[in-house]
């Protein structure tokens, strides 16, 4: 976890390229602009006759998707987003095993090499917190933007942006909302990144619910205290769900547990089914960055308040279209 602290305490790489490394780099004005742009893209993408025009915007440009850790949504949605804008996409999955990383090549050396092939942006997922910032320090020299697609237990800023957009889409505002974040808050980079974004809105209220050993880490709690954001920790869903405008649940990350043998115990502390949905208000929404394992029962999927399949995943593609335009410096 030390890598996370190092990555989060790093000052912004002096930006020539327009990297997306961590949630803190966005201010409210930038978020408002991004949401407006994403809304406009969504409206245009919904009209088949407009899709051809969208494909002209980044026509012929090149995106590299380099994933050292598994991914379905982030990798596929960045690929789809890029192609919807006319980009060409080259992808390496399982880069930790099938790229020259297995021979001992560093991220820095790999970035020098990839930049020589002339990409317009590189989307990087890595198992080490801070890897995206290290990659950006190299790519900066080549004026190639790095987009952090999740770095270990560090951050996942583009997921947080789509999550915040989904909240905004449903509630029309972020301020004054009560957001319950639950599950594996110790290892969940999506929750960490989302909290950093939510802390831009001084009147939000946060409630954390996590099994013992998987609670939100001290650096995030310190950040909330420093920014005077109201938060509390609960252990019972009954004490949290009735207050929520948003319930944001996350998977227990078996692969990151220091002792994986505790997985069956911690993974089954909380399960959201129909009775638990009964604790939520009618206008609240249930979100999950996915993948889910057994923390949300499939019986909940058809509840209109469950928005992970119905809105959140598609918003991932739409917001990544907006982000690719941003890092490409294309005026909208
Ligand atoms: N939410 C998310 O990052 O999903 P993937 O790991 O499938 O990309």
């Amino acid at each position: 976890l030390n890598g996370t602290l190092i990555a989060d305490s790093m000052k912004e790489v002096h930006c020539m390229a327009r990297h997306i490394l961590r949630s803190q780099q966005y201010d409210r004005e930038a978020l408002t602009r991004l949401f407006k742009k994403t809304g406009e893209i969504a409206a245009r993408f919904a009209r088949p006759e407009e899709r051809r025009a969208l494909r002209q915007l980044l026509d012929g440009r090149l995106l590299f998707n380099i994933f050292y850790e598994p991914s379905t949504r982030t990798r596929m949605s960045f690929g789809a987003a890029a192609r919807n804008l006319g980009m060409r996409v080259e992808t390496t999955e399982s880069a930790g095993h099938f790229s020259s990383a297995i021979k001992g090549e560093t991220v820095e050396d790999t970035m020098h090499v990839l930049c020589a092939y002339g990409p317009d942006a590189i989307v990087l997922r890595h198992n080490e917190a801070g890897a995206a910032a290290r990659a950006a320090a190299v790519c900066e020299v080549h004026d190639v933007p790095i987009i952090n697609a999740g770095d270990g237990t560090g951050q996942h800023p583009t997921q947080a942006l789509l999550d915040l957009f989904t909240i905004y889409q449903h509630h029309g505002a972020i301020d004054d909302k009560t957001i319950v974040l639950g599950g594996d808050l110790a290892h969940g980079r999506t929750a960490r990144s989302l909290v950093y974004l939510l802390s831009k809105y001084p009147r939000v209220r946060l409630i954390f619910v996590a099994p013992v050993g998987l609670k939100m880490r001290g650096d995030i709690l310190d950040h909330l205290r420093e920014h005077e954001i109201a938060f509390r920790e609960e252990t019972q869903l009954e004490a949290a769900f009735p207050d929520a405008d948003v319930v944001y649940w996350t998977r227990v990350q078996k692969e990151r547990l220091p002792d994986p043998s505790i997985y069956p115990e911690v993974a089954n502390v909380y399960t959201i089914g129909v009775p638990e949905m009964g604790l939520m208000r009618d206008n609240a929404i249930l979100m999950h960055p996915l993948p889910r394992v057994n923390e949300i029962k499939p019986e909940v999927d058809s509840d209109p308040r469950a928005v992970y399949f119905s809105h959140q995943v598609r918003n991932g593609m739409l917001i990544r279209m907006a982000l690719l335009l941003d890092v490409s410096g294309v005026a909208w």
Side-chain angles (χ1 to χ4, degrees), residues 67 70-75 125 149 156 159 189-190 289-291 320:
F67 281 64
S71 168
T72 297
R73 279 144 292 275
T74 313
R75 186 169 58 80
R125 170 168 290 187
H156 193 348
Q159 175 71 44
R189 58 196 175 197
T190 71
L290 304 175
R320 286 170 176 134

Side-chain angles (χ1 to χ4, degrees), residues 143-213:
D143 197 17
V144 174
I146 284 286
I147 302 175
N148 180 2
D151 59 340
T153 54
Q155 288 215 26
H156 193 348
T158 70
Q159 175 71 44
L161 290 167
L162 80 88
D163 293 336
L164 195 73
F165 177 72
T166 304
I167 296 172
Y168 177 75
Q169 187 181 51
H170 279 266
H171 287 301
I174 310 291
D175 259 328
D176 288 321
K177 300 294 172 243
T178 298
I179 293 107
V180 172
L181 294 107
D184 185 351
L185 302 180
H187 304 106
R189 58 196 175 197
T190 71
R192 291 174 61 80
S193 286
L194 181 57
V195 170
Y196 278 124
L197 287 184
L198 290 167
S199 71
K200 309 281 179 184
Y201 299 84
R203 297 200 305 275
V204 296
R205 295 168 295 274
L206 306 181
I207 306 174
F208 300 125
V209 185
V212 173

Side-chain angles (χ1 to χ4, degrees), residues 148-300:
N148 180 2
D151 59 340
T153 54
Q155 288 215 26
H156 193 348
T158 70
Q159 175 71 44
L161 290 167
L162 80 88
D163 293 336
L164 195 73
F165 177 72
T166 304
I167 296 172
Y168 177 75
Q169 187 181 51
H170 279 266
H171 287 301
I174 310 291
D175 259 328
D176 288 321
K177 300 294 172 243
T178 298
I179 293 107
V180 172
L181 294 107
D184 185 351
L185 302 180
H187 304 106
R189 58 196 175 197
T190 71
R192 291 174 61 80
S193 286
L194 181 57
V195 170
Y196 278 124
L197 287 184
L198 290 167
S199 71
K200 309 281 179 184
Y201 299 84
R203 297 200 305 275
V204 296
R205 295 168 295 274
L206 306 181
I207 306 174
F208 300 125
V209 185
V212 173
L214 301 182
K215 293 188 181 303
M216 189 56 92
R217 281 147 48 194
D219 61 328
I220 295 282
L221 303 185
D222 288 345
H223 173 86
L224 293 174
R225 289 186 193 103
E226 187 186 329
H227 291 81
E228 299 183 355
I229 303 293
F231 74 89
R232 67 180 204 260
E233 296 182 277
E234 297 287 358
T235 55
Q236 301 296 319
L237 302 187
E238 290 78 3
F241 279 23
D243 291 341
D245 296 295
V246 176
V247 172
Y248 184 93
W249 214 260
T250 61
R251 171 180 73 93
V252 173
Q253 304 205 5
K254 186 178 186 179
E255 68 277 21
R256 301 195 204 281
L257 292 176
D259 174 9
S261 72
I262 67 165
Y263 178 76
E265 186 190 324
V266 289
N268 294 310
V269 175
Y270 302 108
T271 307
I272 301 176
V274 168
E276 289 74 21
M277 292 300 285
L279 298 169
M280 286 170 54
R281 297 177 189 159
D282 290 346
N283 67 347
I285 55 172
L286 175 65
M287 300 175 64
H288 194 303
L290 304 175
R292 59 109 179 256
V293 186
N294 54 4
E295 60 277 6
I296 297 179
K297 291 183 182 167
E299 68 190 28
V300 166

